Amino acid sequence: LKDFIQSLRALIDARLRRYLDAKAIETCELAPSALELTEVVDSLTSRGGKRLRPVLLAAAYRAVQPGGDVERTLEAGAAVELLQSFLLIHDDFMDRDEERRGGPTAHVVLQRAHGGDAHRGASLAVLAGDLASTYAWELLLEAPFAARRDEALQCFIRAQKEVYLGQHLDVVGDPDTQRMQQLKTGSYTVRLPLELGALLGDASPAQLGALRSFGEPLGEAFQLRDDLLGTFGDPAVTGKPRGNDLRAGKRTALIAEAEELLSHDDRAVLDRAHGNSKATDEAIDDASRLLVARGVRNRIERRAERLVAAALDALDGAELGGEGRQLLKELAALLTARVA
Amino acid sequence: LKDFIQSLRALIDARLRRYLDAKAIETCELAPSALELTEVVDSLTSRGGKRLRPVLLAAAYRAVQPGGDVERTLEAGAAVELLQSFLLIHDDFMDRDEERRGGPTAHVVLQRAHGGDAHRGASLAVLAGDLASTYAWELLLEAPFAARRDEALQCFIRAQKEVYLGQHLDVVGDPDTQRMQQLKTGSYTVRLPLELGALLGDASPAQLGALRSFGEPLGEAFQLRDDLLGTFGDPAVTGKPRGNDLRAGKRTALIAEAEELLSHDDRAVLDRAHGNSKATDEAIDDASRLLVARGVRNRIERRAERLVAAALDALDGAELGGEGRQLLKELAALLTARVA
C-alpha cells in the first residue's frame, strides 16, 4: 500500500503541477493582474499533500480493473483535488478560518495582499473558489470515462449539490450533525472518488453498488475521525490551531454526544471553550480532558470502529479484484486511523 | 421579432419553472431545512424577465439551422440563465449591492432570514451561488449538442474563467475598464449564447467565426449601454436605485472617459457623487448633468453605435440563414437601444 500511495501521490502532484502551470499562463494571457487568483488556488492545492481522494479513486479503479494503468485516473483524481480546493476556499471564508494546511487561508492571503481590506479579501476568495470549481470541471472533462462519462458527470453534480446543502446545515448550526456530515463530507470525500474510479474502470452495477456500500459508512467514520482531530489533534498534523473546532463552536459529533451525556456542571466547563473564540488554552484543555474523562471521546471512537467494520464487510463477497480490494481495506484503516 | 422573443421567453420560463420545481423537491429530499438556498436561486431566476441570453442563443441556432425547432435550445438557454443567476448572486455580495431585478439581493434576503447576521447572509449567498452554478452545469449537460458537445462544454468553461478574471479586475478597480468589461460581461452575455446556439445547430467553422465576429463588438456595445443605464437609467427599468453605479464608485466607461475629458473643477462635482455611498440625490443629479453637458454621455453613445455597426457588418456576407440573420440584427438593436 505504501508504494501504491507514494507512486500515485507523485503522479497526481505532477499532473496538478502541469495543469496549474498551464493555468498560470492562461490567466496571464487573459488578465495578468488577476494572476493572484490562480496563484491562491495553486498554493492551496499544492500544499495538500495527502491526496487521499485520488488514492481512493485509483484504488477503486484497480478493484474493478485488476492490473489497470492508474495513469487513466489522474485527470479525475486531479479534478477531485481541485473540487476540494474550491470547497475549502469557500468554507474557510464562511467559517472565518484563518489557517489551512499549515498556511493562511485564501481570504486571509488576499486580504493581506489588498491592504487589509477584509471585504475585498472575501470577495477575491469567493472568485478564487469559483475559478477552482471551473478548473475541476475542466480536468474532469479530460478524463477518459468513455461510455460512462454521463454517469460520472452526474456523480460529480450530485456530490456538489450534497456538499452545498450539508454546508448550509453547518452554517446555520442544524442539530442533525450526522446528516450534515454525510452530505457535507462523505459525499465528495469518499463516495465520489469511489464512483469516479469505478466508472473509469467500466464497473458493473454490482461492483458500483458494493463500492457505494463500502463508501457510505467509511465516509461517516472518516468524518468522525475529522471531528476527533479537530478537537484532540496535534496542530502539526492537522495544519490548524489546537482546539480549533471547539473555539469555532462547530457542532461536531463530539458536541452532539456531549449534549446527551454531560451533567449540568460539566456542560459549563465545555461551554467556556465551545464557541468562544477567545477561549484560553487552559479552557480548551479543560474541555478536552472532560470529553475524555466522561467517555465522550471513547464513544465516538467506538462508533467510528463499528462503521469501519461495516465498510469492510461490504467489500467481502463483492466481485472485486483481490489486489484492489486489499488496497481499499488498507486505505479504510488509514483514513480512519486512531487520533494520537 | 417580437413574436419570436415572446414565444421563446414563454418556453424558457416554462423550462426554468419545471427545472426549479424539480430542484425544490430534490433539496427537500436531501435536506429540507436548506430549501432557502434553492428558493433564493429560484426567486432571482424567476424575476429576470428579459431572457436576452436564451433569445440570442435561439436566434444564433436559427441563423445556422433555418426553420429549426427552438425547443432544442431550451436546456442550453436555461443553463445560461442559471449561470447568470450564479454570477449575479456572487457579484452582488462583492459589490455590496442590495437590490437586483426589483427585489433584494440574495445576501440581503438571507441576512434578513437569519436575524440580520451579515456574515451568515454572505455565507449562505455564496452557497446559493455555488448551487446555481451546479444547476447551470446540470442543465447544460442535458442539452442536445450531439457531436459538438465537447466544444460547447469548452465554451462554457472559457466563458466562466473570463468572467472571474474580469470580475477580479472590477473588484480591484483596474484602470483597463474595456478589458474588464470584455471579460466580465461580453464573454457570457453575448459570445457564449451565440456559440452555444451555433453548436446546437452544428455550425460550420465559417458560421461560428461570423457569429463570434458579430458577438465581440456587440458585447462591448451592450456593456456600454449597461454603463449608461447604471448612471442615467430609470430605476423602474433597471431594477436598481438611481445613480447606482455612481454611488458605488464603479469604474464604468463613463468614468474612464470623464477622467480624460473633465477639468479640475468639473472633477470635483463628479467626485462628490462618484464612490460616495452617502451622496444626496442632488449630488447624483449634478454629476449626471455634468456628464451630459461635457459630452461624456454623447461620446459613449457614439462609441456604442460604432460597435453595433461593426457587429452588423460581420453578419453581412456570412453564410447564415436570412431569417436568423434578421433576428440577430434586430436583437443587436434591441440589446443596445438608446437609454431614454
Side-chain angles (χ1 to χ4, degrees):
Chain A
L1 181 74
K2 265 200 179 148
D3 287 352
F4 181 81
I5 292 181
Q6 275 185 352
S7 74
L8 199 90
R9 226 175 242 176
L11 288 169
I12 281 284
D13 283 346
R15 186 70 191 81
L16 284 168
R17 187 72 269 130
R18 187 153 63 86
Y19 179 78
L20 290 166
D21 285 347
K23 292 304 111 180
I25 292 167
E26 181 184 84
T27 300
C28 283
E29 282 167 1
L30 289 167
S33 62
L35 185 61
E36 63 180 354
L37 292 185
T38 303
E39 281 175 344
V40 90
V41 173
D42 188 336
S43 160
L44 179 69
T45 307
S46 303
R47 67 180 197 262
K50 288 178 292 178
R51 311 294 180 216
L52 289 175
R53 292 167 186 82
V55 170
L56 207 50
L57 191 155
Y61 168 73
R62 279 291 263 278
V64 169
Q65 284 289 336
D69 184 354
V70 291
E71 290 269 354
R72 277 179 69 83
T73 71
L74 298 182
E75 276 74 29
V80 172
E81 286 292 300
L82 276 156
L83 176 66
Q84 161 83 338
S85 294
F86 147 51
L87 295 170
L88 292 178
I89 291 171
H90 281 190
D91 281 17
D92 286 340
F93 157 65
M94 296 180 210
D95 297 346
R96 292 188 165 115
D97 277 333
E98 303 201 339
E99 276 184 61
R100 171 68 73 178
R101 293 178 172 170
T105 50
H107 61 279
V108 169
V109 170
L110 292 162
Q111 176 176 345
R112 287 180 191 160
H114 291 271
D117 180 336
H119 184 72
R120 187 166 288 186
S123 298
L124 296 176
V126 170
L127 276 178
D130 292 342
L131 186 62
S133 165
T134 300
Y135 287 167
W137 274 102
E138 186 168 58
L139 276 161
L140 191 75
L141 290 168
E142 287 179 23
F145 286 107
R148 309 300 291 275
R149 193 192 200 191
D150 276 348
E151 277 173 87
L153 298 176
Q154 290 309 320
C155 290
F156 199 63
I157 283 175
R158 197 185 56 232
Q160 286 178 22
K161 291 193 275 201
E162 292 190 8
V163 172
Y164 307 145
L165 299 181
Q167 175 70 1
H168 177 281
L169 300 187
D170 197 8
V171 167
V172 305
D174 194 278
D176 189 349
T177 54
Q178 196 182 359
R179 163 162 309 210
M180 181 272 281
Q181 294 183 336
Q182 275 172 356
L183 289 170
K184 181 178 167 176
T185 308
S187 56
Y188 86 98
T189 295
V190 178
R191 197 188 60 206
L192 178 66
L194 292 173
E195 287 171 335
L196 295 180
L199 291 168
L200 282 166
D202 200 14
S204 69
Q207 289 174 319
L208 205 48
L211 288 167
R212 285 182 176 136
S213 303
F214 165 69
E216 199 178 324
L218 180 61
E220 231 180 295
F222 176 78
Q223 181 60 52
L224 292 179
R225 177 170 176 266
D226 205 52
D227 285 352
L228 289 162
L229 272 173
T231 299
F232 303 108
D234 178 353
V237 175
T238 62
K240 291 185 196 177
R242 232 168 91 62
N244 191 56
D245 286 2
L246 282 174
R247 277 203 186 83
K250 283 198 190 153
R251 258 193 72 83
T252 61
L254 288 159
I255 298 299
E257 194 73 27
E259 282 175 1
E260 289 188 13
L261 224 57
L262 295 192
S263 69
H264 188 266
D265 288 356
D266 285 347
R267 279 299 301 267
V269 174
L270 182 61
D271 288 346
R272 274 200 286 282
H274 187 241
N276 173 10
S277 60
K278 285 167 187 147
T280 61
D281 283 348
E282 287 71 31
I284 293 291
D285 283 344
D286 287 347
S288 304
R289 270 193 296 265
L290 182 77
L291 292 172
V292 175
R294 295 295 181 270
V296 174
R297 175 175 177 162
N298 196 264
R299 282 202 181 201
I300 299 299
E301 284 174 343
R302 293 296 87 73
R303 194 191 300 167
E305 283 164 15
R306 284 194 302 275
L307 287 163
V308 173
L312 296 179
D313 276 353
L315 287 182
D316 287 324
E319 298 161 16
L320 298 171
E323 176 228 34
R325 186 204 310 255
Q326 192 54 36
L327 277 174
L328 289 171
K329 286 191 172 183
E330 293 180 32
L331 274 172
L334 194 73
L335 277 167
T336 55
R338 217 170 163 289
V339 174
Chain B
L1 180 73
K2 264 197 182 150
D3 287 352
F4 180 82
I5 293 181
Q6 275 185 351
S7 74
L8 200 91
R9 227 176 241 174
L11 289 169
I12 280 285
D13 284 345
R15 186 70 190 81
L16 284 168
R17 187 73 268 131
R18 187 153 63 85
Y19 179 77
L20 290 166
D21 285 346
K23 293 305 110 181
I25 292 167
E26 180 183 87
T27 299
C28 283
E29 282 166 2
L30 289 167
S33 63
L35 185 61
E36 63 179 354
L37 291 185
T38 303
E39 281 175 343
V40 89
V41 173
D42 188 336
S43 161
L44 179 68
T45 306
S46 302
R47 67 181 197 262
K50 286 179 291 177
R51 312 293 181 217
L52 288 174
R53 293 167 185 82
V55 170
L56 208 50
L57 191 156
Y61 168 73
R62 280 292 264 277
V64 169
Q65 283 290 336
D69 184 353
V70 292
E71 289 269 354
R72 278 179 68 84
T73 70
L74 297 182
E75 277 73 29
V80 173
E81 285 292 300
L82 276 154
L83 175 67
Q84 161 83 340
S85 294
F86 147 50
L87 296 170
L88 291 178
I89 291 171
H90 282 190
D91 281 18
D92 285 340
F93 157 65
M94 296 179 208
D95 296 347
R96 293 190 165 112
D97 277 332
E98 304 200 338
E99 276 184 62
R100 170 69 72 180
R101 293 177 172 173
T105 51
H107 60 280
V108 169
V109 170
L110 292 161
Q111 176 177 344
R112 287 181 191 159
H114 291 272
D117 181 335
H119 184 73
R120 186 166 288 186
S123 298
L124 296 175
V126 170
L127 276 178
D130 292 342
L131 186 62
S133 164
T134 300
Y135 287 168
W137 273 102
E138 184 169 58
L139 276 161
L140 192 74
L141 291 168
E142 287 178 23
F145 286 108
R148 310 300 290 275
R149 193 191 200 190
D150 276 348
E151 276 174 87
L153 298 176
Q154 290 309 319
C155 290
F156 199 62
I157 284 175
R158 197 184 56 232
Q160 286 178 22
K161 290 194 277 202
E162 292 190 10
V163 172
Y164 307 145
L165 300 180
Q167 176 69 2
H168 177 281
L169 301 187
D170 197 7
V171 167
V172 305
D174 194 279
D176 189 350
T177 53
Q178 198 181 356
R179 162 162 310 211
M180 181 271 281
Q181 295 184 334
Q182 274 172 358
L183 290 170
K184 182 180 166 176
T185 309
S187 56
Y188 85 97
T189 296
V190 178
R191 198 190 57 208
L192 178 66
L194 291 173
E195 287 171 334
L196 296 180
L199 291 168
L200 281 166
D202 199 16
S204 69
Q207 289 174 319
L208 205 48
L211 287 168
R212 284 180 176 140
S213 302
F214 164 69
E216 199 179 322
L218 180 61
E220 229 178 296
F222 176 79
Q223 181 61 51
L224 292 180
R225 178 170 176 266
D226 205 51
D227 286 352
L228 290 162
L229 273 173
T231 300
F232 303 108
D234 178 354
V237 175
T238 63
K240 292 186 194 174
R242 232 167 90 63
N244 190 56
D245 285 2
L246 281 173
R247 277 202 186 85
K250 284 198 188 150
R251 259 194 70 84
T252 61
L254 288 159
I255 298 299
E257 194 73 27
E259 281 175 359
E260 289 189 12
L261 223 58
L262 295 192
S263 69
H264 188 267
D265 288 356
D266 284 347
R267 279 299 299 269
V269 173
L270 182 61
D271 288 345
R272 274 200 286 281
H274 187 241
N276 173 10
S277 60
K278 287 169 186 143
T280 60
D281 282 349
E282 286 70 32
I284 294 290
D285 283 345
D286 287 347
S288 303
R289 270 194 296 266
L290 183 77
L291 292 172
V292 175
R294 295 297 180 268
V296 174
R297 174 174 179 165
N298 195 266
R299 281 203 183 201
I300 300 299
E301 285 174 343
R302 292 297 86 72
R303 195 191 299 167
E305 283 165 14
R306 284 193 302 274
L307 287 162
V308 173
L312 297 180
D313 277 354
L315 288 182
D316 288 324
E319 298 161 18
L320 299 170
E323 177 229 33
R325 186 205 309 255
Q326 192 56 35
L327 277 175
L328 289 170
K329 285 191 172 184
E330 292 180 32
L331 274 171
L334 194 72
L335 277 167
T336 56
R338 217 172 164 288
V339 175

